[in-house]
Amino acid sequence: MPARPVKRLPSCFSHAIISLQTRCRFYATNVLAGDALGPIEHNGQKHQSLRVLKDGGKLPLPPVLDPVVLSERQRWQQPKQQPNVAEFTPFQKKLWQNPYAHTLASPLRECRATFTLLPTPLLTTLHPRPHPTTAAPWLLPVSLTTTQKHLGPPYRFLSHAYITAHLTKKRVWERGLYPRLVEKLGKGAVEKMVWREDMPALVLELLRKKVAGKLGWYFARSGALVPCSSPRREDLEGLEDVSCVLYLGSLRTRADDLQAEVAEMTAEGEKWVSYFTKGFAKYVDPHKAPGVTHSPPHWFVEPVAPRLQPRVRFPPLEFKTTLWRGRKVPVYSLPDMLSEEMTRELIRGSKHQNERCLVMKMGEHNVAPQILLMQLQAYLAEPGP
């Protein structure tokens, strides 16, 4: 007769674990606090509750069971009421209608290129999406084409064409991959991740389409935009609640065209400076002088050589503005930002197709398009001539 398999008896340690788990579940759902623990006295001087024992002794309650602590903590954990716009003060109304205030009030996130904390609207956000053919994860600007909020682990960096181009070269973007992204997708999927070579042009194209789609509603509605003669201060003084100016012509000058030539000349000079310091290192590098035995420190890159000052080589970015009643307001040139062809398609058939300059007034409904215009302007911003 074949022997039957003998069932192995569980160990005493497994019984102890099951009993402990049962007790933890019981206590987790039946937590006694405050007066439910028995007679309690409150010490007003120390803001502490004491449990009176049967023998007359007193035992201080921990903060998680103390009714005084719990009541004080719940005061700050109650959800706040939604703000009532009708009861706003004049200053609160200005903040509510200010796109810059909304931008600064947005959550701070880290740029994976510069590792600085910036408001979310100032960052370009990419999300991994599987390729329809190879199923390999691709990092794409999905947030510019959909209104969904939960799109997966994000990859954020400063929204500027230069930063996007820098990350695209020599797979620099791989240095910004953080552990959470690897944990969500898996190490194997991250190793196969693809970054499109035309990422700077793709982000610019999607930004333009999003801005044009948002402005299409304003050009199709009567009264949404107010025409004016020009963005000069004299022509804006008679208008009320000016928030931004949409200029339907180009603001580029001859100096802007020369800026590209100046950048090429600067890059050529920097190339020859680097060539000189490397070719004549024994004359300019103090660590290669005769008799020097120590190695250079970790922060040493190359010997010091005459170069252009950083403020001359990298001047501040230029953002067009004008004055309205002593306050600066932005001026957005649609042909320079959207291209001339897209601007013609935008104003074709509208009542503003013969206008030269339009004003968008302050209002809660005008905050979203102004934030999009600000994002596109920041992406295309260049140093001033």
Side-chain angles (χ1 to χ4, degrees):
M1 181 176 179
R4 292 182 299 175
V6 180
K7 183 178 180 180
R8 186 175 179 180
L9 297 177
S11 62
C12 298
F13 182 70
S14 62
H15 284 292
I17 293 178
I18 296 175
S19 176
L20 180 61
Q21 291 176 348
T22 306
R23 283 190 230 164
C24 291
R25 287 195 298 267
F26 175 77
Y27 287 124
T29 55
N30 297 275
V31 178
L32 300 179
D35 296 335
L37 295 172
I40 290 179
E41 291 185 1
H42 299 287
N43 188 343
Q45 296 180 353
K46 296 184 178 180
H47 302 284
Q48 188 181 33
S49 298
L50 303 174
R51 180 183 178 186
V52 182
L53 304 179
K54 294 182 178 180
D55 58 356
K58 298 179 181 179
L59 180 68
L61 290 177
V64 295
L65 302 178
D66 194 334
V68 177
V69 177
L70 294 177
S71 61
E72 291 295 325
R73 182 180 297 173
Q74 290 175 357
R75 290 175 52 191
W76 309 105
Q77 293 180 344
Q78 295 178 358
K80 296 183 179 179
Q81 297 180 355
Q82 293 294 329
N84 188 2
V85 183
E87 299 178 357
F88 277 1
T89 63
F91 179 73
Q92 290 176 329
K93 289 181 179 179
K94 288 183 179 180
L95 284 180
W96 187 252
Q97 300 171 359
N98 193 321
Y100 300 101
H102 283 263
T103 300
L104 296 176
S106 60
L108 295 178
R109 295 296 181 264
E110 185 183 41
C111 169
R112 303 306 302 172
T114 61
F115 300 101
T116 55
L117 294 177
L118 294 170
T120 306
L122 302 181
L123 300 172
T124 297
T125 305
L126 307 181
H127 294 88
R129 285 295 178 270
H131 191 270
T133 305
T134 62
W138 288 49
L139 281 174
L140 299 173
V142 188
S143 58
L144 298 177
T145 60
T146 181
T147 57
Q148 298 180 3
K149 295 183 179 181
H150 304 287
L151 300 173
Y155 185 100
R156 297 185 176 94
F157 54 91
L158 180 63
S159 184
H160 194 274
Y162 177 82
I163 299 296
T164 311
H166 172 70
L167 293 174
T168 305
K169 294 179 181 179
K170 299 181 181 180
R171 300 180 66 87
V172 180
W173 59 273
E174 290 183 343
R175 304 175 188 175
L177 296 175
Y178 53 100
R180 180 190 171 194
L181 188 65
V182 179
E183 180 183 357
K184 290 287 184 180
L185 301 179
K187 187 176 181 181
V190 171
E191 292 176 353
K192 300 178 182 179
M193 187 170 290
V194 179
W195 180 287
R196 291 184 51 160
E197 296 181 356
D198 61 340
M199 186 65 74
L202 175 64
V203 174
L204 176 59
E205 179 184 0
L206 295 180
L207 268 174
R208 284 175 169 173
K209 288 183 178 180
K210 192 169 184 178
V211 171
K214 197 71 174 179
L215 291 180
W217 183 91
Y218 290 84
F219 279 92
R221 298 297 186 276
S222 178
L225 300 174
V226 180
C228 64
S229 301
S230 71
R232 295 184 304 176
R233 178 178 56 184
E234 296 80 6
D235 298 328
L236 297 177
E237 287 295 328
L239 301 177
E240 299 291 337
D241 300 331
V242 176
S243 184
C244 71
V245 179
L246 304 181
Y247 191 63
L248 303 183
S250 178
L251 294 175
R252 296 184 62 87
T253 61
R254 175 61 177 163
D256 296 311
D257 299 332
L258 295 176
Q259 189 70 16
E261 300 180 11
V262 173
E264 293 179 2
M265 296 170 60
T266 304
E268 187 71 14
E270 291 293 324
K271 183 187 73 173
W272 284 106
V273 169
S274 299
Y275 174 79
F276 175 80
T277 54
K278 291 180 181 178
F280 298 89
K282 61 180 180 180
Y283 300 105
V284 296
D285 191 348
H287 302 95
K288 295 186 178 180
V292 178
T293 58
H294 66 276
S295 58
H298 65 90
W299 49 264
F300 186 83
V301 179
E302 60 182 13
V304 179
R307 295 178 182 271
L308 285 176
Q309 294 183 4
R311 290 187 178 274
V312 177
R313 186 182 175 190
F314 304 105
L317 299 178
E318 184 179 20
F319 298 91
K320 304 294 185 181
T321 60
T322 186
L323 288 177
W324 173 75
R325 299 182 181 179
R327 184 171 65 89
K328 286 185 178 182
V329 294
V331 179
Y332 301 112
S333 173
L334 296 187
D336 295 341
M337 295 169 56
L338 298 177
S339 75
E340 295 183 359
E341 181 181 358
M342 189 173 292
T343 304
R344 287 195 297 267
E345 292 292 332
L346 181 63
I347 65 178
R348 181 177 299 171
S350 66
K351 60 179 296 185
H352 303 298
Q353 59 182 354
N354 297 325
E355 300 292 343
R356 191 67 175 174
C357 185
L358 301 170
V359 168
M360 183 177 291
K361 293 193 172 184
M362 297 180 185
E364 179 188 352
H365 57 284
N366 293 336
V367 170
Q370 291 186 67
I371 291 179
L372 290 177
L373 287 167
M374 180 179 58
Q375 291 175 343
L376 180 57
Q377 186 187 46
Y379 189 83
L380 295 172
E382 297 179 355

